[in-house]
Amino acid sequence: MFAEVSFPISSYQTFSYKVPDHLASKIAVGMRVKVPLGNRKVNGIVVGINKSSSFKGKIRKIDDLIDDQRVLNDNLWSLIKWLAEYYNSPLGIAAKAVLPSNLSTKYKPKVEVLVKVLPGKEIKSSIGRAQKTVYDYLKSLETDVPIKALSHLCSSPINICKKLAEKEMVSLIEKPIIPDLSEFAFKSKNKKIILTQAQNIALEKMTSSMDKNKFNPFLLHGVTGSGKTEIYIEAARHAIQLDKTVIMLLPEISLTPQIAGRFRSAFGDDVALWHSKLSQGGRAWTWKQICEGKFKVVIGARSAIFAPLKNVGLIVVDEEQESSYKQESPNPRYHARDVALMRGKLDNASVILASATPSMESYYNYLNGKYEYIHLKERFGGAKYPKVHVVDMIKESAETAVYGDIFSRLLLEKIEDRLSKKEQIILFHNRRGFAPILRCDDCGEVSMCPHCNIALTYHRSGKYLQCHFCNHTQNMIPSKCTSCQSYNINLSGTGTQKVEDELSNKFPNAIIKRLDADSVRSGINLTKTLQDFSDKKIDILLGTQMIAKGLDFANATLVGIINGDTGLFLPDFRSSEKVFQLIYQAAGRAGRGEIPGEVIIQTYSPDNPVIKCATELNVEKYYNICLEERKALMYPPFSWMVKIEIRGKNIKEVEKSINKIKNKMVNPPKGISILGPALCYREKLRDYYRMQLIIKSNKELDVNGAKLHKYYKSILSKDIGVQIPLKQRLVIDINPVSLL
């Protein structure tokens, strides 16, 4: 028997190995194996099993299986093959995304050794002083005791206990140390919920679909605070009653604690968490338990879509519009929302794409009848929409004769008012650090990252400059300009750390906490901060986009958006959509309880259509405007798109390679258009220059995108002479979320 094995490398080639007799009954397609490759032992995945091999050279044997059971069922294996084909990725790399190499069903948690006195035993004459001391102590407790807790009695408690065990006076017990994952969830609260008529109608549609055991995609478009989470929980309850499992995807780790707390209140220990803040031990233990069928619900970030659950009946993609569902690197560059739809199709599951601000793609698919549309138009529990105020910061500066102030007079007044009423405030500013630019006021030189064409951001905590793309750090701020030697260098711009400093100065008695990538280094800190805010121990919560969506705090009655224009003018076709969604979502954090809420949006562009629609909380109006613009330019959702990018350290060689590809693109099929080549907006990152070509295919002429995939693969085929130098990287991004 022979196995074809693929490896997580860039090669599409598979390799033949002989299956040892002792593994012949265990091995199957989709199982991971350890095999010799050159002089190394590496992990691969079995992609085929044959009785014979056409390879005429020496065939080596498989060493061992990585897992002691088959992790992949037929549907999950089909998903891997689709992932590889659709996202143009070698099968081994696609499999690695689903089956991380550092996880195995053979994992065994660390153990803690306990000791306990055996009943009815007398002290033997041969016992030593230290042994007697330990024995007497254990006998007085009459319970299991960790051996490490006996170190105050003797210098080597493990040796003493082993000697006592040999004399049959005590027993040693090995107890697995199970990771405590409760720290990543809010405290469970039994909350009796009575669904509204609109929620019941939505739930009935979803449960009916699950009863029929058929794939059905839903777009759940519910305004902020409309009670979408309650629907998720009841839909999950129905799936579990049908003996099915549930995957719940979240875009930000900041949403995990609150959602996990709600689900654990409903389903107890049947809920698993899966995200990047878990320790390696926590990930390994959780993954093994999922493989063994110990969990009914998995909640997590985008990679949770690959959780090896059996009989999946419901997949929920919360805040489905979020770009964080897109894997930017490494391969495969998948979008978890699209993978969720494919997994739902393979498993005959119901898939709920939910948001208060759906992506243009999902909204377009609803308009074209591809998704069943459910609209929740009102907030849950009688809560009202917040009152929105727009502050023109240009006019504000003219009236106060103070330029560059972080806070408008109105926002300061509202903060003061809420603090006096013991109500809470959320402030949103989507730029971390203290100041994004260090500039020479004489020559205009900006401190740049030596590896990226990006300005370094100053961080007040630690006093260092950092690149937010490659993490290059300079621990010392230069005393003078490196270009003109002037000492007139100053920080400009505003980050969350600067906002925090100003808040502390203006409201010294307020308890302020900041949530961004710098302040949240672990899931424990994140959970504690959000739990404290929920428990009203924090007055003002300041943060980046991680606090702008999904969170539900009844006592938060004021939301302040420091700069509503951030990101608005980036040269990307999605920039305005992202700004609208962020403002709308951030505004939705206010007034979710019984007390009415208010929102202050500070902007330098109050007449911009995006800002206007966002302040009016008018989704339909903005989406109609956006769809008209996209259609005129034939951008998604009216077209399929592929981005072909060349990266290299020599800009001239990069330009040569990208032009070589462009020259092959003669007479493209009808409906396909090419943009570029051109330098990327961020033309240099991590020492690599970047140039890109964009291929678009009109959906009216290419309904499922097959024409586009066939065309770009033919262009990049080595058969027609397109070969990229080894020193360069070819990056192919299917349906990119950004062209920056």
Side-chain angles (χ1 to χ4, degrees):
M1 183 184 292
F2 298 87
E4 290 297 309
V5 178
S6 179
F7 299 103
I9 56 178
S10 58
S11 173
Y12 290 83
Q13 183 181 359
T14 61
F15 298 80
S16 295
Y17 286 88
K18 185 173 176 55
V19 180
D21 292 340
H22 71 282
L23 297 180
S25 62
K26 299 178 183 178
I27 201 162
V29 170
M31 293 194 76
R32 294 181 294 175
V33 290
K34 185 177 286 294
V35 298
L37 184 66
N39 297 324
R40 300 174 296 148
K41 300 288 186 182
V42 297
N43 295 347
I45 187 164
V46 177
V47 300
I49 295 177
N50 306 299
K51 291 182 179 179
S52 61
S53 174
S54 59
F55 183 68
K56 301 303 181 184
K58 182 181 178 181
I59 300 180
R60 304 166 82 176
K61 284 186 178 182
I62 291 172
D63 284 348
D64 199 5
L65 300 178
I66 302 297
D67 302 300
D68 54 13
Q69 59 180 285
R70 190 185 182 202
V71 174
L72 302 176
N73 58 24
D74 291 342
N75 290 345
L76 207 46
W77 176 239
S78 295
L79 185 69
I80 289 176
K81 292 192 290 184
W82 172 82
L83 198 69
E85 174 67 21
Y86 189 78
Y87 290 103
N88 197 58
S89 173
L91 198 56
I93 290 181
K96 188 179 179 180
V98 179
L99 300 169
S101 57
N102 59 350
L103 300 177
S104 168
T105 58
K106 293 181 179 180
Y107 166 80
K108 292 182 180 179
K110 294 179 180 179
V111 296
E112 181 179 46
V113 182
L114 307 177
V115 59
K116 184 178 182 180
V117 171
L118 290 173
K121 298 291 182 179
E122 298 294 331
I123 296 180
K124 298 183 179 181
S125 58
S126 60
I127 192 170
R129 182 184 299 175
Q131 294 174 38
K132 184 177 186 305
T133 301
V134 171
Y135 182 79
D136 288 342
Y137 178 76
L138 292 172
K139 194 170 183 180
S140 68
L141 296 177
E142 295 183 349
T143 185
D144 299 347
V145 178
I147 287 182
K148 63 182 180 181
L150 304 175
S151 57
H152 67 290
L153 298 175
C154 56
S155 59
S156 182
I158 183 64
N159 291 332
I160 296 295
C161 289
K162 283 181 178 179
K163 290 177 181 178
L164 289 172
E166 290 171 2
K167 296 172 182 177
E168 298 182 345
M169 299 177 68
V170 301
S171 63
L172 301 182
I173 307 155
E174 288 190 348
K175 179 183 177 183
I177 301 175
I178 305 302
D180 180 13
L181 303 180
S182 61
E183 60 200 16
F184 297 104
F186 273 19
K187 293 174 288 189
S188 296
K189 293 181 180 178
N190 291 320
K191 194 175 179 182
K192 186 172 177 60
I193 299 294
I194 300 176
L195 298 184
T196 64
Q197 183 180 1
Q199 287 174 312
N200 275 316
I201 292 172
L203 183 62
E204 172 61 29
K205 291 181 179 179
M206 296 169 191
T207 56
S208 176
S209 173
M210 283 186 270
D211 290 339
K212 294 174 184 175
N213 196 39
K214 59 179 282 189
F215 167 62
N216 198 11
F218 295 90
L219 176 59
L220 178 57
H221 180 192
V223 301
T224 55
S226 58
K228 294 185 287 294
T229 303
E230 282 70 31
I231 295 176
Y232 306 156
I233 290 173
E234 294 307 317
R237 195 187 308 279
H238 189 81
I240 292 171
Q241 288 170 353
L242 295 174
D243 199 27
K244 295 178 180 290
T245 56
V246 179
I247 297 175
M248 174 87 199
L249 296 185
L250 301 170
E252 296 276 356
I253 191 174
S254 60
L255 302 185
T256 307
Q258 201 166 56
I259 292 286
R262 293 290 309 279
F263 268 77
R264 284 195 164 169
S265 295
F267 306 113
D269 292 335
D270 282 340
V271 178
L273 303 184
W274 189 256
H275 54 71
S276 60
K277 295 296 183 182
L278 294 176
S279 65
Q280 177 55 33
R283 287 173 66 84
W285 181 84
T286 301
W287 194 79
K288 181 177 181 179
Q289 297 292 301
I290 293 172
C291 291
E292 293 178 353
K294 300 293 178 62
F295 293 115
K296 295 294 185 182
V297 180
V298 173
I299 300 175
R302 61 174 177 258
S303 62
I305 190 56
F306 301 123
L309 289 168
K310 308 297 189 295
N311 198 24
V312 175
L314 175 68
I315 302 173
V316 179
V317 186
D318 192 31
E319 306 296 351
E320 61 85 27
Q321 81 285 354
E322 282 301 308
S323 59
S324 55
Y325 282 125
K326 173 76 171 181
Q327 166 113 329
E328 298 288 359
S329 182
N331 268 339
R333 291 175 170 81
Y334 66 89
H335 198 300
R337 179 186 63 220
D338 298 334
V339 178
L341 290 165
M342 178 52 67
R343 184 162 190 185
K345 184 175 182 180
L346 291 169
D347 282 333
N348 291 321
S350 294
V351 180
I352 303 173
L353 308 181
S355 178
T357 54
S359 63
M360 285 297 159
E361 283 81 356
S362 294
Y363 193 75
Y364 174 84
N365 283 334
Y366 135 64
L367 292 176
N368 285 272
K370 290 187 176 181
Y371 298 159
E372 187 167 348
Y373 183 68
I374 301 172
H375 194 187
L376 302 178
K377 300 179 180 180
E378 296 180 356
R379 285 190 152 190
F380 180 77
K384 303 298 182 184
Y385 260 25
K387 183 178 181 181
V388 181
H389 307 274
V390 181
V391 178
D392 183 342
M393 294 303 284
I394 295 177
K395 186 177 179 182
E396 177 85 4
S397 298
E399 291 176 354
T400 61
V402 178
Y403 295 87
D405 256 12
I406 295 175
F407 304 106
S408 62
R409 292 166 295 176
L410 179 62
L411 181 54
L412 291 174
E413 289 171 9
K414 295 294 182 182
I415 293 174
E416 186 72 54
D417 175 62
R418 290 318 194 273
L419 291 174
S420 68
K421 295 177 179 177
K422 303 297 182 184
E423 296 170 15
Q424 292 168 287
I425 301 111
I426 295 176
L427 295 180
F428 168 69
H429 186 59
N430 203 25
R431 180 167 282 169
R432 64 187 177 100
F434 185 86
I437 293 175
L438 178 65
R439 186 199 308 272
C440 173
D441 288 344
D442 287 336
C443 73
E445 182 78 8
V446 173
S447 291
M448 305 290 286
C449 172
H451 308 290
C452 308
N453 191 25
I454 302 292
L456 293 170
T457 298
Y458 174 63
H459 290 251
R460 182 74 168 267
S461 305
K463 297 184 178 180
Y464 60 90
L465 293 167
Q466 185 182 53
C467 173
H468 287 172
F469 286 87
C470 73
N471 288 325
H472 167 79
T473 301
Q474 293 178 196
N475 292 322
M476 295 292 291
I477 297 178
S479 59
K480 59 183 179 180
C481 176
T482 56
S483 179
C484 70
Q485 308 305 309
S486 167
Y487 290 93
N488 191 19
I489 55 175
N490 289 296
L491 296 166
S492 61
T494 301
T496 49
Q497 292 178 8
K498 188 174 182 179
V499 176
E500 183 181 28
D501 276 8
E502 288 291 315
L503 275 175
S504 298
N505 291 333
K506 293 184 180 298
F507 305 101
N509 297 323
I511 300 172
I512 303 164
K513 284 290 183 179
R514 174 169 51 88
L515 269 186
D516 55 27
D518 300 311
S519 65
V520 181
R521 296 298 182 186
S522 72
I524 301 171
N525 291 340
L526 169 68
T527 305
K528 184 179 185 308
T529 299
L530 292 175
Q531 184 71 66
D532 285 349
F533 192 73
S534 180
D535 294 340
K536 304 179 185 178
K537 295 178 182 178
I538 297 170
D539 299 315
I540 303 175
L541 183 64
L542 163 68
T544 53
Q545 64 178 4
M546 65 168 56
I547 67 165
K549 64 192 81 71
L551 298 175
D552 188 358
F553 301 107
N555 195 48
T557 60
L558 176 66
V559 166
I561 299 173
I562 304 299
N563 187 351
D565 308 330
T566 302
L568 184 59
F569 301 107
L570 289 173
D572 183 68
F573 72 98
R574 293 189 199 272
S575 59
S576 64
E577 177 188 357
K578 290 179 180 178
V579 171
F580 173 84
Q581 290 166 341
L582 268 178
I583 293 176
Y584 185 100
Q585 293 276 1
R589 301 314 104 205
R592 298 170 73 94
E594 296 178 357
I595 308 171
E598 287 186 275
V599 180
I600 311 295
I601 301 174
Q602 300 181 162
T603 175
Y604 291 89
S605 311
D607 295 325
N608 186 289
V610 178
I611 302 296
K612 276 192 168 183
C613 290
T615 55
E616 294 168 1
L617 303 179
N618 194 331
V619 173
E620 187 175 349
K621 179 180 177 182
Y622 171 71
Y623 279 35
N624 288 337
I625 293 172
C626 189
L627 287 174
E628 286 181 12
E629 293 175 349
R630 298 276 184 91
K631 187 173 184 178
L633 298 171
M634 199 48 62
Y635 274 112
F638 296 95
S639 65
W640 304 106
M641 185 182 290
V642 171
K643 180 171 75 169
I644 298 174
E645 184 181 317
I646 299 290
R647 300 176 183 176
K649 295 189 176 183
N650 185 308
I651 182 63
K652 291 185 178 179
E653 292 299 318
V654 169
E655 187 175 5
K656 182 179 177 180
S657 294
I658 199 83
N659 283 326
K660 189 176 180 180
I661 295 174
K662 175 62 186 293
N663 292 338
K664 299 291 181 181
M665 296 179 172
V666 291
N667 300 320
K670 186 178 180 181
I672 289 181
S673 58
I674 293 104
L675 300 178
L679 282 166
C680 298
Y681 172 70
R682 300 183 180 103
E683 63 184 54
K684 184 184 178 186
L685 291 177
R686 302 175 184 87
D687 292 320
Y688 282 84
Y689 292 95
R690 306 160 64 231
M691 294 191 73
Q692 64 184 9
L693 276 165
I694 308 300
I695 309 175
K696 296 188 294 184
S697 182
N698 190 328
K699 284 187 177 180
E700 291 184 358
L701 302 175
D702 187 11
V703 178
N704 58 7
K707 183 191 291 187
L708 175 64
H709 282 256
K710 182 179 179 181
Y711 177 69
Y712 89 79
K713 287 180 181 179
S714 69
I715 291 296
L716 297 176
S717 169
K718 292 181 181 179
D719 295 337
I720 65 169
V722 175
Q723 291 186 334
I724 306 301
L726 293 175
K727 292 182 179 180
Q728 296 177 8
R729 289 185 60 196
L730 170 66
V731 177
I732 301 169
D733 193 356
I734 310 300
N735 301 327
V737 296
S738 171
L739 299 182
L740 298 177

